Amino acid sequence: MSLTVPPDLLRAAESGSVDDEEFVTCVRESLPYAWQTVSRVAADLAASDGEFADNVIPPPSEAERGQLLRALASDAIRASLERHFGVKLAFQNCHRVAAFRPSAVDSDTYRRFVSVRGQLLNQSPELRDC
């Protein structure tokens, strides 16, 4: 799963200057399922008083799963999404992405979510191939 990079953005990258919002637009247009998922959990977080909001709905196909994996496996993409939405993203499996408030990153809730124990407890036979 690759980004579809517009010629102007590629030229900007070649010259060394890349606008963060242009990169975010490239991500949004190239990885629409990932964008929708992160956008939704960020909106859910903003509408709540909780420390985090998460997605527990599996992607509808392998193509969408690939988009989510691509977005969250790339440091650059993940960081740009975090800056854009003002959240800290955490990822446990092929679809459980969570948006945390930046102030919650040192919380017990965040540490439990990103812990080895949290990862193991979030597994099931259905997730073995994801």
Side-chain angles (χ1 to χ4, degrees):
M1 181 67 48
S2 183
L3 296 178
T4 304
V5 183
D8 290 347
L9 186 56
L10 184 57
R11 279 192 292 281
E14 289 168 344
S15 72
S17 172
V18 177
D19 178 77
D20 208 35
E21 283 306 309
E22 288 181 62
F23 181 65
V24 166
T25 298
C26 178
V27 170
R28 183 183 69 236
E29 292 173 358
S30 298
L31 307 171
Y33 177 80
W35 177 268
Q36 291 166 0
T37 302
V38 171
S39 180
R40 182 171 34 82
V41 296
D44 289 350
L45 178 63
S48 79
D49 292 331
E51 288 182 288
F52 78 102
D54 63 337
N55 176 67
V56 295
I57 303 165
S61 75
E62 290 304 308
E64 285 86 358
R65 184 182 322 279
Q67 286 185 34
L68 196 55
L69 292 172
R70 175 69 175 105
L72 295 167
S74 165
D75 290 341
I77 295 172
R78 181 185 227 163
S80 70
L81 291 170
E82 289 174 337
R83 286 189 302 273
H84 179 79
F85 290 108
V87 299
K88 173 66 174 163
L89 296 173
F91 194 49
Q92 278 191 343
N93 60 33
C94 61
H95 64 270
R96 189 162 185 219
V97 60
F100 282 83
R101 297 182 194 289
S103 61
V105 171
D106 289 328
S107 71
D108 289 339
T109 303
Y110 178 80
R111 284 193 291 275
R112 274 192 305 273
F113 191 94
V114 300
S115 71
V116 170
R117 182 175 186 265
Q119 179 69 50
L120 292 171
L121 293 173
N122 194 49
Q123 300 306 292
S124 68
E126 305 86 55
L127 300 176
R128 289 199 178 126
D129 290 330
C130 74

